[in-house]
Amino acid sequence: MKKIAIYIATGLLATSCAFSSKSSMGSDGGEVTGIHGTAYGEPTPYGMVLVDRGSMKTGPAENDSVWGIKAAPDGMSVESFWMDETEITNAKYKQFVFWVRDSIIRERLADPAYGGDEEYKIEEDDEGNPITPYLNWKKPIPWRNPTEDEQRAISSVYRRNPITGVMELDYTQMNYRYEVFNLTEAAKRKNRLDPARRNYNTDITPSEELPMISKDTAYLNDNGEIVRETITRQLSGDYDFLNTYIVNVYPDTTAWINDFENAYNEPYTRMYFSHPGYGDYPVVGVSWEQATAFAKWRTDFLKRSLGRQGVYIEPYRLPTEAEWEYAARAGNDANKYPWAGDFPISDDGCFYANLKPGDGNYIKDGNLITSRVGTYDPNDFGIYDMAGNVSEWTSTAYTESIDQLTSDINPEYRYNAAKEDPYRMKRKVVRGGSWKDIAHNVRADLRQWEYQNEQRSYIGFRCVRTQVGFVKGKKK
């Protein structure tokens, strides 16, 4: 397995991509020859594997009367995408948490109540013109020898544990605010401002009445609590498709206790996320909402590192269910698992994944709970742990009729549940099974689900990015 570093190698990324607005407009004897420009080649995303576009039949290919499974394979095709070669680790997710912590500290260092150091927040351009304020990440936090005001700002994100007396991060403050433009809804004809462009049937007189839209927004109330609202109103412009979210990003470390009654799992609650010894283990206790926030932060982190805030790049995101299954089965219809065959163990007794080998026997495969990512051999696509270790969130919403609702090209079913929606409408597809599951439940062709706000000790995630540009010198 390749060595996975905690921090992105921003220097390498910054020098490996290029933009050019230069174009050539040719005119040869009055003939149209086209406009050609220098293409933007995105760098290879760090720690990711390229999954080339492909087609396969998803879902079980055989009936199984023991488990009540009926074969219903569906053909589909997906575009090329990059996928994390391993699940997101504690170390990588901790980088997200610490970024949120440091952003709060910088905001407070710039606040007059904490000394008001203007260098921590840029509010003017080089010519002194006002701009949208942003934090100055080049200005280091004075962790050593801070002034009294600086120490108050730093200490404000910590709390003293009332039982142990130890200073610890105040997880209740670790809130990440982000915005997402819903291009899918904005692009639909029914949501166009111009009535004539909503329906091209000239036999119909278009209605002048603007359609109704729903958008998500969020804010912190006076008590510092996250308030989420879904607003329904008449369409007025593109801003109506910009959704705002605030998510507390700290993992639920108590999941180890709450998922297993009458079990002594306190050491995992205290140490699994915080101790460096678990740094290369998959992060757990993270909800679908938190995993989605991580992907958005990861995109913005890359754009800042590349110095391309004003340029669109394909975002990091959770994989669709179709992408996940295609990658897990290495594009092979015959594979029930990420490997060939019907068993999780080789002829010489080596396990292919971290799972529950027998009744009450978790350690036969060498692990009690999760294992370090990449412990087992990768599948034929070079991707690790697509079965067992931890189940993984996908972007796909779950409904019993999902197979009848999705297209066969880049299949995806999304539903952004409003706060007022019934809880059953807040289910998301999870795949792959985990360290606590028997072999049947880690099959790559089977679908499971969980509520989007649940945090489990056996669910983690990985990210993908749609591949764009050129592949191996050939035009896609």
Side-chain angles (χ1 to χ4, degrees):
M1 175 189 170
K2 302 174 185 176
K3 184 177 181 182
I4 306 300
I6 296 177
Y7 297 101
I8 293 178
T10 56
L12 175 61
L13 291 174
T15 59
S16 59
C17 60
F19 257 105
S20 175
S21 59
K22 179 181 178 182
S23 63
S24 59
M25 182 181 297
S27 178
D28 187 3
E31 297 294 338
V32 175
T33 60
I35 298 176
H36 303 280
T38 302
Y40 166 52
E42 289 191 354
T44 299
Y46 185 79
M48 284 189 150
V49 172
L50 179 62
V51 178
D52 285 325
R53 64 166 68 99
S55 177
M56 69 174 293
K57 292 186 180 297
T58 60
E62 301 175 351
N63 291 328
D64 189 333
S65 58
V66 176
W67 293 94
I69 295 174
K70 293 184 178 180
D74 289 319
M76 65 88 194
S77 299
V78 292
E79 184 55 275
S80 303
F81 59 93
W82 298 94
M83 174 175 266
D84 282 322
E85 62 179 355
T86 72
E87 294 142 341
I88 296 299
T89 61
N90 284 317
K92 288 185 175 180
Y93 194 84
K94 195 175 295 182
Q95 185 178 353
F96 177 34
V97 173
F98 283 5
W99 185 95
V100 172
R101 178 201 65 183
D102 292 353
S103 67
I104 296 172
I105 292 175
R106 281 184 166 82
E107 285 280 2
R108 291 176 183 167
L109 287 168
D111 189 333
Y114 293 92
D117 189 336
E118 296 179 354
E119 292 188 38
Y120 283 100
K121 200 167 190 178
I122 308 299
E123 298 182 346
E124 297 178 345
D125 61 20
D126 294 338
E127 299 176 355
N129 301 312
I131 58 174
T132 302
Y134 64 92
L135 295 178
N136 180 12
W137 287 86
K138 295 181 180 179
K139 174 77 171 175
I141 294 173
W143 297 105
R144 295 184 178 181
N145 303 317
T147 66
E148 183 176 344
D149 284 336
E150 290 170 342
Q151 183 60 59
R152 288 195 303 113
I154 294 171
S155 299
S156 67
V157 298
Y158 291 87
R159 63 184 284 270
R160 188 173 297 280
N161 188 301
I163 305 301
T164 64
V166 175
M167 292 295 292
E168 58 190 19
L169 192 65
D170 184 0
Y171 71 90
T172 64
Q173 296 187 54
M174 299 299 106
N175 299 321
Y176 177 63
R177 180 185 184 277
Y178 68 98
E179 295 179 332
V180 174
F181 182 75
N182 191 337
L183 178 59
T184 298
E185 288 299 313
K188 290 181 178 178
R189 289 182 177 177
K190 69 177 184 178
N191 289 329
R192 291 174 176 172
L193 290 173
D194 183 357
R197 298 187 66 237
R198 290 187 213 133
N199 190 328
Y200 291 158
N201 187 341
T202 55
D203 293 335
I204 299 176
T205 301
S207 171
E208 296 293 330
E209 185 176 357
L210 291 172
M212 301 297 290
I213 60 92
S214 294
K215 65 173 293 183
D216 294 331
T217 187
Y219 61 91
L220 296 177
N221 63 19
D222 293 338
N223 296 323
E225 300 167 331
I226 299 173
V227 178
R228 177 184 171 185
E229 295 179 349
T230 300
I231 300 173
T232 301
R233 68 186 185 198
Q234 205 165 41
L235 177 65
S236 61
D238 285 345
Y239 181 78
D240 290 324
F241 301 104
L242 188 66
N243 298 278
T244 302
Y245 301 97
I246 300 177
V247 177
N248 185 278
V249 303
Y250 203 85
D252 182 6
T253 59
T254 68
W256 291 101
I257 292 176
N258 288 298
D259 287 342
F260 300 94
E261 294 185 5
N262 301 319
Y264 182 65
N265 286 342
E266 289 184 16
Y268 308 137
T269 291
R270 288 191 293 263
M271 306 298 287
Y272 185 79
F273 182 65
S274 61
H275 196 281
Y278 287 109
D280 290 332
Y281 285 63
V283 67
V284 297
V286 173
S287 69
W288 179 90
E289 295 166 349
Q290 291 173 312
T292 301
F294 175 92
K296 179 61 171 64
W297 166 80
R298 188 176 179 181
T299 303
D300 290 341
F301 186 80
L302 175 61
K303 291 174 70 174
R304 278 188 297 269
S305 300
L306 296 176
R308 304 202 178 278
Q309 287 295 88
V311 175
Y312 178 82
I313 64 171
E314 276 298 314
Y316 291 99
R317 54 184 173 82
L318 295 180
T320 66
E321 181 186 24
E323 288 171 331
W324 192 97
E325 183 171 339
Y326 181 76
R329 299 172 72 182
N332 190 335
D333 299 344
N335 287 351
K336 295 179 182 178
Y337 296 94
W339 55 84
D342 294 337
F343 302 99
I345 190 170
S346 66
D347 293 338
D348 56 2
C350 294
F351 280 88
Y352 296 135
N354 176 14
L355 43 71
K356 182 180 180 181
D359 184 19
N361 187 346
Y362 291 86
I363 64 172
K364 189 175 181 180
D365 60 2
N367 307 281
L368 179 59
I369 54 169
T370 57
S371 58
R372 183 177 284 103
V373 297
T375 296
Y376 298 87
D377 289 338
N379 69 2
D380 287 345
F381 279 175
I383 307 174
Y384 297 84
D385 298 321
M386 294 298 278
N389 213 15
V390 291
S391 299
E392 299 179 16
W393 291 111
T394 73
S395 60
T396 305
Y398 176 82
T399 177
E400 287 77 4
S401 58
I402 186 173
D403 293 326
Q404 285 73 50
L405 297 173
T406 52
S407 171
D408 58 2
I409 177 173
N410 296 320
E412 174 68 324
Y413 174 69
R414 291 191 179 183
Y415 183 78
N416 295 327
K419 179 182 178 182
E420 299 77 16
D421 281 337
Y423 199 37
R424 62 181 177 81
M425 298 179 72
K426 301 174 182 179
R427 294 177 292 179
K428 305 297 181 185
V429 174
V430 295
R431 299 297 294 259
S434 75
W435 58 270
K436 72 169 187 61
D437 291 312
I438 60 174
H440 173 271
N441 292 339
V442 303
R443 282 174 52 170
D445 60 348
L446 296 181
R447 173 184 296 137
Q448 298 170 316
W449 60 265
E450 184 54 272
Y451 294 104
Q452 66 184 46
N453 63 341
E454 277 287 1
Q455 299 159 295
R456 300 294 192 182
S457 60
Y458 46 84
I459 299 180
F461 70 101
R462 73 180 78 212
C463 297
V464 298
R465 274 177 70 191
T466 301
Q467 197 272 341
V468 296
F470 295 84
V471 182
K472 298 178 181 178
K474 296 182 179 181
K475 201 171 184 178
K476 281 189 62 181

